Amino acid sequence: MVFYIIGLGLGDHLDITVKGLEAVKTCKQIYLESYTSILGINRLKLQEFYGKEVIEADRECCETGIDEILQNVSIDLQNNYAFLVVGDPFCATTHTDLFLRAVKLGIKVEVIHNASIINAIGCTGLQVYRFGETVSVPFFTEKWKPYSFYPKIKANLDHNLHTLVLLDIKVKEISEENLARGKKIYEAPKFMSTQIAVQQIIESDKQLGLNSIDEKTKCFGVARVGFETQKIVSGFLHEFLDIDMGPPLHSFVICAKELHPIEEEMFQFYRNNQQKID
């Protein structure tokens, strides 16, 4: 018996590796994690491609139901199971925790890797080894505005490193009001755009008084990486307040203060390309 944690890559159902597909075909049950990211196709399309049922593992399942799943796996010595992850399995803490829980139960775990935004961000032309710590920007609310991510951006800039900014997604969330009333009513899915992210980044810099960004800060916006509709735009930070990157998912990059000549050439290429489209 093997418990597979399989990366699906960034695009559609065809992005799974041959090794991953062969593993899926041997499995009794297949779970699709839909909490930390989303796949560009629906679950039914995967079922049709695999010829097997695919069970959605939403936020509730990942946070409260995963122990029961692993317990069932641990006592079944005859069958294989698969947990499908958008991108690469080890690019989210949730999946590392899943790995550790399974191992502690004595389950044999095999991880099959794939592309993720962490390495695919090289599509901007920025050198991947020049990136510092990745940051995640959550949706601000009237009562909750965590600026804690921003000092990490400043630290990267101070060390002349790029920053990959991952943008918040909210899927199957329950509002505070419904939660207080005990009503299990889910809000509509919500995906942060680069425009909202930039607004919050500028606000954070201002509120913390760090003055780490200005009108000369170079950035990249990327959307739907891995799909035919992939979009890459370069420009200065404040320009992204007015740039519509289209449907999700979006990611953002704040460039290091100094660019390598090839990086600068790629920055100008995508900037000129966007101007032609406009």
Side-chain angles (χ1 to χ4, degrees):
M1 184 277 292
V2 180
F3 181 61
Y4 292 102
I5 305 177
I6 303 173
L8 296 180
L10 296 170
D12 58 20
H13 60 291
L14 299 176
D15 273 14
I16 189 171
T17 64
V18 174
K19 184 177 182 180
L21 182 58
E22 290 301 314
V24 164
K25 291 178 180 179
T26 71
C27 293
K28 176 184 176 181
Q29 285 187 328
I30 304 164
Y31 294 89
L32 172 63
E33 190 265 296
S34 61
Y35 170 33
T36 60
S37 189
I38 60 168
L39 196 63
I41 57 172
N42 62 40
R43 179 177 55 85
L44 297 180
K45 184 69 175 179
L46 286 182
Q47 288 188 165
E48 180 183 343
F49 184 60
Y50 299 152
K52 289 176 173 283
E53 180 186 11
V54 176
I55 304 166
E56 182 181 1
D58 57 18
R59 177 174 184 171
E60 185 176 347
C61 176
C62 291
E63 291 184 342
T64 63
I66 199 66
D67 286 330
E68 182 179 350
I69 292 173
L70 291 177
Q71 285 292 344
N72 291 335
V73 171
S74 68
I75 61 178
D76 185 352
L77 304 179
Q78 303 298 320
N79 298 289
N80 295 339
Y81 293 78
F83 196 83
L84 309 181
V85 174
V86 178
D88 183 80
F90 283 152
C91 285
T93 306
T94 298
H95 311 136
T96 306
D97 178 65
L98 173 66
F99 174 86
L100 290 172
R101 291 192 193 194
V103 169
K104 289 175 183 177
L105 288 172
I107 298 171
K108 180 181 179 181
V109 182
E110 287 191 20
V111 177
I112 300 176
H113 296 282
N114 210 319
S116 76
I117 191 63
I118 302 296
N119 57 13
I121 198 62
C123 65
T124 58
L126 298 176
Q127 297 168 358
V128 176
Y129 50 81
R130 289 200 63 210
F131 278 78
E133 185 174 356
T134 298
V135 305
S136 297
V137 177
F139 278 110
F140 287 177
T141 67
E142 291 184 5
K143 300 179 180 178
W144 188 66
K145 294 187 176 184
Y147 301 132
S148 56
F149 68 89
Y150 191 77
K152 298 176 184 178
I153 295 176
K154 181 183 185 304
N156 286 341
L157 288 169
D158 289 344
H159 289 90
N160 200 31
L161 298 172
H162 309 306
T163 304
L164 172 60
V165 183
L166 304 180
L167 312 188
D168 200 4
I169 67 172
K170 292 187 177 297
V171 181
K172 298 193 78 171
E173 297 270 344
I174 301 176
S175 68
E176 292 183 5
E177 182 180 352
N178 285 325
L179 202 59
R181 295 178 177 179
K183 293 184 177 180
K184 199 173 182 179
I185 302 174
Y186 296 113
E187 300 288 293
K190 189 177 179 183
F191 307 98
M192 184 180 287
S193 67
T194 53
Q195 291 170 303
I196 297 298
V198 170
Q199 289 175 17
Q200 295 187 180
I201 289 169
I202 293 173
E203 177 182 335
S204 300
D205 182 73
K206 182 177 180 181
Q207 290 298 321
L208 295 177
L210 296 178
N211 300 315
S212 298
I213 53 175
D214 55 32
E215 66 279 357
K216 295 182 180 179
T217 301
K218 294 178 179 179
C219 301
F220 280 86
V222 298
R224 301 170 300 284
V225 174
F227 291 89
E228 291 183 0
T229 60
Q230 173 176 297
K231 185 173 183 178
I232 305 171
V233 178
S234 64
F236 297 103
L237 182 69
H238 289 71
E239 294 176 339
F240 280 92
L241 292 170
D242 300 314
I243 295 175
D244 182 4
M245 296 294 293
L249 292 171
H250 296 182
S251 296
F252 196 66
V253 177
I254 298 175
C255 297
K257 293 179 180 179
E258 298 175 4
L259 298 185
H260 182 278
I262 294 296
E263 293 178 320
E264 179 64 37
E265 190 172 346
M266 291 296 285
F267 177 86
Q268 295 301 332
F269 169 78
Y270 283 116
R271 183 166 172 77
N272 293 335
N273 191 46
Q274 175 62 23
Q275 290 172 345
K276 290 177 183 177
I277 293 173
D278 292 341

